Amino acid sequence: MIRVLLVDDDALVRAGLSMMLDGAAGIAVVAEAADGQEAITATDAHAPDIVLMDLRMPRVDGITATRRLRARSRPPEVIVLTTFDTDENVLHALRAGAAGFLLKDTSPPQIVEAITRVAAGDPILSPRITRRLMERTVAQAGAYERARAALAALTPREHEVALAIAQGRTNADIATDLAMGVTTVKAHVSSILTKLGLDNRTQIALLAHDAGLT
């Protein structure tokens, strides 16, 4: 069962999400929070696997809350669910450690799929966000050189795994493509994160895009 915490300052939004997710197999809404500070408190109390996080909220905003949650030793995964899709919001959320970024007009089946995929270790971004993010990150001054230099620290096998992650491949897909066990893939992913000083697979994909690999 995937334990989910809903974080949004709009009680109607929380109620709608709760009703929708309560009907989804394998997902349980364990708590709700109206701002980032409540999200941190609720995480302490309920240990969710996934936090569905709004961005603009009183007291502590979603990006700050995401950064604080992801800094923990055993952090929950965070999926941002918002109406604000500016490039700055997307980048700040992903840099803070969010594993996904969805817009509130995302269909219920897609939200359920996103929760399931992120719980399994796969990042998720809405297609529109992905296209804009790739254009923005590649265009940033010096991003290409910095990304190339960072990826040079990887072994050839790790480089292949990083490229596969950037292409949206799951651990099972990578294992099949590269003829290795899923456990070995996970070990490579862990090594990549450590070497590059990153938090999650989404940030590996960002770096690979910056390096022009996809």
Side-chain angles (χ1 to χ4, degrees):
M1 187 67 69
I2 302 170
R3 299 167 59 82
V4 177
L5 166 63
L6 304 178
V7 186
D8 197 295
D9 60 342
D10 188 329
L12 290 177
V13 170
R14 297 198 308 272
L17 287 170
S18 182
M19 265 193 345
M20 181 262 291
L21 293 176
D22 278 343
I27 295 176
V29 176
V30 296
E32 298 179 13
D35 60 46
Q37 184 57 53
E38 288 187 11
I40 294 168
T41 302
T43 297
D44 290 334
H46 300 281
D49 302 303
I50 302 289
V51 178
L52 275 185
M53 182 81 74
D54 190 19
L55 287 185
R56 297 190 181 180
M57 297 179 292
R59 296 204 298 173
V60 176
D61 63 74
I63 290 172
T64 300
T66 297
R67 185 178 299 110
R68 292 179 183 175
L69 289 174
R70 292 298 301 167
R72 297 178 169 212
S73 58
R74 297 185 65 183
E77 297 291 349
V78 177
I79 301 173
V80 170
L81 184 64
T82 184
T83 55
F84 304 103
D85 64 341
T86 65
D87 290 350
E88 289 74 17
N89 282 337
V90 176
L91 289 172
H92 288 162
L94 296 180
R95 299 299 184 192
F101 197 106
L102 300 175
L103 302 178
K104 286 183 177 176
D105 60 3
T106 302
S107 68
Q110 288 176 317
I111 293 175
V112 171
E113 180 188 5
I115 291 171
T116 303
R117 283 187 56 181
V118 168
D122 298 323
I124 186 77
L125 298 174
S126 68
R128 188 167 80 219
I129 295 297
T130 300
R131 287 192 297 272
R132 282 176 34 200
L133 186 60
M134 289 173 64
E135 293 169 358
R136 169 69 179 264
T137 53
V138 171
Q140 287 180 334
Y144 178 86
E145 290 77 13
R146 290 194 299 272
R148 285 279 180 172
L151 292 173
L154 303 181
T155 66
R157 204 58 160 168
E158 289 168 347
H159 198 276
E160 291 178 323
V161 172
L163 177 58
I165 290 171
Q167 293 170 338
R169 308 292 282 169
T170 65
N171 285 342
D173 293 334
I174 297 171
T176 300
D177 294 345
L178 300 182
M180 63 175 72
V182 172
T183 301
T184 303
V185 174
K186 291 180 179 179
H188 282 310
V189 173
S190 178
S191 177
I192 292 167
L193 292 172
T194 299
K195 285 184 177 181
L196 301 181
L198 301 177
D199 259 344
N200 54 45
R201 296 166 68 99
T202 302
Q203 292 177 342
I204 295 174
L206 279 172
L207 195 67
H209 290 317
D210 281 347
L213 299 183
T214 59

